[in-house]
Amino acid sequence: MNNKCIYRLWRSPTVDRPNALAPDELVRRHAQPGMSLVALLHAIQDDVGFVPPETVAPLARTMNLSRAEVHGVITYYHHFRRSPAAPVTVQLCRAEACRSMGSEALAQHVEGHTGCRFGQHGHDADHGHDHTGPVALESVYCLGQCALSPAMMINGTLHAKVTPQKFDKLYAAALATVRTEEAA
């Protein structure tokens, strides 16, 4: 891998984000009576951008679940992140409809263009590597755009009928946005 790719390694919230809430406080801030675990996970991720691993135990206590159950929900759904997102995150649908419309060829193009590689699942990049660049490639399994395949999301924005040429333009725009934000 070259240094344009990003691999995430979780660090303590107080190291990377000195103003971050403690895990217990983060859970308390968002927990509401009758709230489901998935809704609580969404609230936490909406607040801090990911679900810190240190929140698993407080979530389990709050929801009267085991830590394994909480961890299972976080890792089952590709939407939940266990570490901060890369400045440019490309999520490509690898489900059957998109595959039948060329997503695997598109994946090869994306890998060649970015110099990064897709993991088996979006969370693969969370294990064992440090930040080394501004780009993360994630495989996801259905973005709900089957009739408009292949589909992808770049930094949370959905794109349909993506061709290699369309990807190149979208990717260049995403990189330009990151550079503009970094310069500001």
Side-chain angles (χ1 to χ4, degrees):
M1 284 308 121
N2 69 38
N3 64 1
K4 292 191 303 185
C5 304
I6 192 165
Y7 297 95
R8 296 177 285 275
L9 172 66
W10 169 252
R11 292 190 185 106
S12 164
T14 57
V15 172
D16 287 345
R17 300 172 31 242
N19 297 325
L21 293 174
D24 288 309
E25 181 56 32
L26 187 59
V27 172
R28 266 194 301 279
R29 170 193 270 186
H30 296 289
Q32 302 290 323
M35 183 180 246
S36 71
L37 175 59
V38 171
L40 183 51
L41 292 170
H42 277 288
I44 290 170
Q45 182 159 296
D46 289 347
D47 184 13
V48 297
F50 63 106
V51 179
E54 285 84 357
T55 61
V56 170
L59 282 164
R61 283 192 302 273
T62 299
M63 301 302 292
N64 197 28
L65 299 168
S66 72
R67 289 180 305 199
E69 289 171 307
V70 173
H71 176 77
V73 170
I74 293 168
T75 58
Y76 178 78
Y77 293 103
H78 72 262
H79 173 76
F80 296 121
R81 298 184 177 285
R82 293 174 285 172
S83 60
V88 176
T89 301
V90 177
Q91 296 175 305
L92 177 63
C93 180
R94 309 293 282 275
E96 290 78 10
C98 285
R99 288 174 78 95
S100 71
M101 295 301 291
S103 70
E104 293 311 297
L106 182 58
Q108 289 178 350
H109 173 80
V110 169
E111 288 178 340
H113 191 76
T114 63
C116 300
R117 295 190 53 79
F118 284 97
Q120 296 287 321
H121 187 275
H123 292 299
D124 287 353
D126 287 345
H127 300 289
H129 299 284
D130 199 355
H131 289 273
T132 58
V135 180
L137 304 182
E138 299 176 354
S139 296
V140 296
Y141 295 89
C142 197
L143 292 170
Q145 299 296 303
C146 300
L148 302 172
S149 300
M152 73 170 41
M153 289 182 71
I154 299 178
N155 290 348
T157 301
L158 184 61
H159 303 281
K161 294 188 176 184
V162 181
T163 64
Q165 298 76 20
K166 184 174 180 178
F167 168 77
D168 293 349
K169 291 176 186 171
L170 294 168
Y171 180 67
L175 284 177
T177 299
V178 168
R179 289 185 189 113
T180 301
E181 290 171 357
E182 289 174 351

